[in-house]
Amino acid sequence: MKRILTVALSLILVMSLCFGAGLTAFADEGENDVRLVVTGGVGSSISAEGLGYSAAAALRESYGEDALLIDLGGFDISAAPIISAAGYDLVVPGEVIEGWDITSISMGIDELSSGAFIRAGKLNIAFIGVTPPAAEADEDAYLASIQETIDLAKSADYVILIGQMDADAVAEAVTGFDALL
């Protein structure tokens, strides 16, 4: 089931990036709707044929207050001011970025928190930033630390793993999460 959810969300994410559409995830009928507008690998694009950070920010704005704007990483460090101005709620950067107030998570960077709880509407969503471990890291220990973090996030309505990762390897090694982005 999780593999199907992973594939479905991955496909929606690709369509979101290609066509400028938003990603709707975990939308219960009625008052618990939450929309996730997800970008990744945009580089430093302000706008390229309707895509980019400004388009993502406009899309999030059109969805209303219960939408979250999230970047999975892969952006150029020079884009940090653009991302900040666009109003992102959460990013998974490839490195520590000094002087900005966006929640940044990554298990692969010691200076950053491994996860964050974000309230959207009536839902409390735990996001865990999963980035590739350092080359010298023990993969089994790294996967065990992801599992420990998931276990600590059990109080959330949903637990979502986000970032640049080998989704199949992570999905096979850990349990207790609701989605991989």
Side-chain angles (χ1 to χ4, degrees), residues 2 26 30 39 47 56 70 78 83 90 102 105-106 111 136 153 156 160 167 170:
K2 286 185 181 173
F26 313 117
T39 58
S47 182
I70 299 168
S78 66
I83 294 170
L90 182 69
I102 298 173
I105 61 174
S106 175
E111 296 84 4
E136 66 277 356
I160 301 176
V170 173

Side-chain angles (χ1 to χ4, degrees), residues 16 20-24 33-39 50 52-71 82-91 101-103 118-121 127:
S16 169
L23 168 65
T24 302
D33 284 356
V34 173
R35 293 178 186 254
L36 305 178
V37 179
V38 181
T39 58
Y53 296 116
S54 59
L59 184 60
R60 181 229 186 161
E61 185 71 27
S62 74
Y63 286 148
E65 63 185 42
D66 292 335
L68 298 175
L69 186 52
I70 299 168
D71 191 86
I82 299 166
I83 294 170
S84 187
Y88 273 72
D89 297 293
L90 182 69
V91 298
D101 58 357
I102 298 173
T103 302
I118 297 180
R119 188 123 187 110
F127 291 95

Side-chain angles (χ1 to χ4, degrees), residues 110-128:
D110 291 339
E111 296 84 4
L112 297 178
S113 173
S114 58
F117 284 91
I118 297 180
R119 188 123 187 110
K122 294 183 177 185
L123 297 176
N124 191 22
I125 304 170
F127 291 95
I128 299 172

Side-chain angles (χ1 to χ4, degrees), residues 90-156:
L90 182 69
V91 298
V92 183
E95 60 187 276
V96 175
I97 300 172
E98 300 294 334
W100 73 344
D101 58 357
I102 298 173
T103 302
S104 302
I105 61 174
S106 175
M107 295 193 70
I109 302 174
D110 291 339
E111 296 84 4
L112 297 178
S113 173
S114 58
F117 284 91
I118 297 180
R119 188 123 187 110
K122 294 183 177 185
L123 297 176
N124 191 22
I125 304 170
F127 291 95
I128 299 172
V130 182
T131 51
E136 66 277 356
D138 176 351
E139 186 173 343
D140 291 335
Y142 184 71
L143 292 169
S145 69
I146 294 172
Q147 185 64 61
E148 289 172 18
T149 305
I150 291 169
D151 294 343
L152 290 171
K154 294 262 185 217
S155 65

